[in-house]
Amino acid sequence: GENVEQHPSTLSVQEGDSAVIKCTYSDSASNYFPWYKQELGKRPQLIIDIRSNVGEKKDQRIAVTLNKTAKHFSLHITETQPEDSAVYFCAASRAGISGNTPLVFGKGTRLSVIA
Amino acid sequence: EADIYQTPRYLVIGTGKKITLECSQTMGHDKMYWYQQDPGMELHLIHYSYGVNSTEKGDLSSESTVSRIRTEHFPLTLESARPSHTSQYLCASSGVGGPRSFYEQYFGPGTRLTVT
């Protein structure tokens, strides 16, 4: 089955700096890669996702890149703000007409943005 | 408004009791999931369902059972609660019929369970 590794487990950055979180996956058939943000005491919420037919996707200060050959994908947050402080989870799954598997999550990265 | 609901939000119960955690969604989704998560820690998949009368065990079945008799309802039952079951339980849904992307998995607010 799928295995997702996420690094680092904790990350501290100064406000305004960039943050990068990296994940690797094992199943070459995985084709959907979401990132979730979980603030303290709240439910995980999707912040960005990418499908395997795309190499990069951006949404304002957040971007995700995917390297299918190397089986890794990364989350990039630019101009970090204190409200970006949270736990971030990457995940991978097979999704679509050819079949579906549940999301397999990484163990999470606790991001702290220091003002 | 389309959403996913969990009850109770908080529960304190004694060892050996049988409990059912409720999850309902008005998203119109066909797929539903249960996760166990200690605050801010790893998400462990307990059970999932891809439709009515379809249930599968995840990586961490945790001596619990689920049923899916109606599309919108996916309750989780612990037959005999133990202190090791103390955790947060998150329900989620995704898939065909929802207002969001086919792929997006949407989480409920969670039930915080304490077994004494």
Side-chain angles (χ1 to χ4, degrees):
Chain A
E2 177 65 276
N3 182 51
V4 176
E5 300 282 342
Q6 183 172 347
H7 299 280
S9 57
T10 60
L11 179 60
S12 291
V13 299
Q14 291 291 130
E15 182 178 359
D17 286 351
S18 295
V20 180
I21 303 170
K22 298 182 179 182
C23 290
T24 60
Y25 62 99
S26 61
D27 184 357
S28 57
S30 288
N31 59 0
Y32 176 62
F33 307 92
W35 286 88
Y36 283 81
K37 175 184 181 181
Q38 188 176 28
E39 297 177 43
L40 188 63
K42 301 212 174 154
R43 70 184 88 181
Q45 291 195 302
L46 180 74
I47 55 171
I48 196 167
D49 57 5
I50 191 167
R51 296 180 58 194
S52 60
N53 58 349
V54 180
E56 182 175 2
K57 185 176 178 181
K58 275 186 165 181
D59 183 4
Q60 299 182 332
R61 296 186 297 109
I62 294 172
V64 57
T65 58
L66 171 65
N67 183 326
K68 285 192 299 181
T69 304
K71 290 190 280 190
H72 66 71
F73 56 112
S74 300
L75 177 71
H76 304 253
I77 306 173
T78 58
E79 300 172 19
T80 54
Q81 301 166 3
E83 52 265 38
D84 294 329
S85 296
V87 180
Y88 291 81
F89 294 94
C90 64
S93 74
R94 301 184 197 183
I97 297 171
S98 58
N100 295 279
T101 58
L103 286 174
V104 176
F105 285 89
K107 292 187 177 181
T109 296
R110 187 175 300 275
L111 173 63
S112 300
V113 179
I114 304 163
Chain B
E1 181 182 341
D3 207 342
I4 184 165
Y5 304 92
Q6 290 188 241
T7 57
R9 294 293 312 281
Y10 302 91
L11 180 62
V12 180
I13 201 161
T15 298
K17 299 291 187 184
K18 178 179 178 178
I19 57 171
T20 296
L21 307 184
E22 300 288 347
C23 175
S24 293
Q25 50 97 3
T26 56
M27 312 286 280
H29 285 152
D30 58 335
K31 300 177 185 62
M32 296 188 74
Y33 313 84
W34 275 105
Y35 292 87
Q36 182 179 341
Q37 184 192 35
D38 292 330
M41 303 297 285
E42 190 174 357
L43 289 151
H44 296 280
L45 180 66
I46 311 171
H47 295 279
Y48 61 100
S49 167
Y50 282 174
V52 171
N53 294 325
S54 158
T55 62
E56 301 286 345
K57 290 188 175 184
D59 300 325
L60 184 75
S61 298
S62 70
E63 296 129 0
S64 58
T65 58
V66 291
S67 62
R68 188 92 183 273
I69 298 171
R70 302 197 320 263
T71 300
E72 65 273 19
H73 192 216
F74 192 42
L76 174 77
T77 298
L78 286 173
E79 293 293 334
S80 179
R82 296 207 306 263
S84 61
H85 292 136
T86 294
S87 189
Q88 176 165 253
Y89 292 82
L90 290 163
C91 182
S93 68
S94 70
V96 174
R100 299 172 182 262
S101 158
F102 171 84
Y103 300 98
E104 180 177 353
Q105 186 168 297
Y106 187 68
F107 284 86
T111 293
R112 184 73 58 87
L113 173 66
T114 302
V115 183
T116 60

